[in-house]
Amino acid sequence: MHELSIIYNVIEIAKEYAEKNSLKKIDKINMSIGEFCCLQEDSLHFAFEGLQKGTLCENAKLHIEVQEAQAYCKNCNLEFKISFTDKLCPYCNAFSHQIMTGYEILVASIEGE
């Protein structure tokens, strides 16, 4: 279960951020996760509920925004939506090796007091 280690690291990032910004508690953590990461959103929330106890993140909310996967076509300078099995440019039908989004796991922002 990769979700557990990811959430552990998210909480560590939040703690570091809180220290640097003199926060006494974290109210909300916003994440951006690419659809190709193969993470289960409900498992992330479950892990967060368990790991947040006794930390600055206790009672905090975890908000996850899933980013759709996109690639870039060098031939026609077009950015387009892709799937695991289809990475062809819809305009020129060329295969794209330049995946722009879809694999990211980011802590986008942290809110607290």
Side-chain angles (χ1 to χ4, degrees):
M1 182 156 140
H2 301 291
E3 289 84 354
L4 188 62
S5 61
I6 288 168
I7 292 301
Y8 175 82
N9 286 312
V10 166
I11 290 174
E12 289 298 308
I13 290 167
K15 286 196 276 188
E16 287 177 30
Y17 177 84
E19 268 182 39
K20 288 179 184 175
N21 293 282
S22 302
L23 298 178
K24 304 246 187 293
K25 73 175 212 164
I26 304 292
D27 296 321
K28 185 177 181 184
I29 299 174
N30 296 302
M31 293 185 68
S32 177
I33 299 176
E35 68 178 324
F36 285 179
C37 289
C38 298
L39 296 172
Q40 299 296 318
E41 194 171 336
D42 57 339
S43 295
L44 290 168
H45 284 286
F46 181 77
F48 187 71
E49 284 178 31
L51 292 175
Q52 75 183 143
K53 291 178 174 65
T55 71
L56 291 173
C57 298
E58 192 160 8
N59 299 319
K61 302 291 181 206
L62 178 65
H63 174 55
I64 298 170
E65 183 177 326
V66 177
Q67 297 295 316
E68 75 177 19
Q70 293 196 344
Y72 176 77
C73 178
K74 291 182 199 177
N75 293 339
C76 53
N77 298 321
L78 180 70
E79 204 169 300
F80 57 95
K81 183 174 174 18
I82 57 174
S83 69
F84 276 117
T85 57
D86 183 13
K87 295 174 181 67
L88 298 178
C89 174
Y91 185 74
C92 70
N93 217 28
F95 184 84
S96 178
H97 294 281
Q98 270 191 293
I99 298 178
M100 305 299 289
T101 61
Y103 287 107
E104 62 277 2
I105 302 173
L106 303 170
V107 175
S109 65
I110 298 169
E111 300 172 20
E113 317 175 355

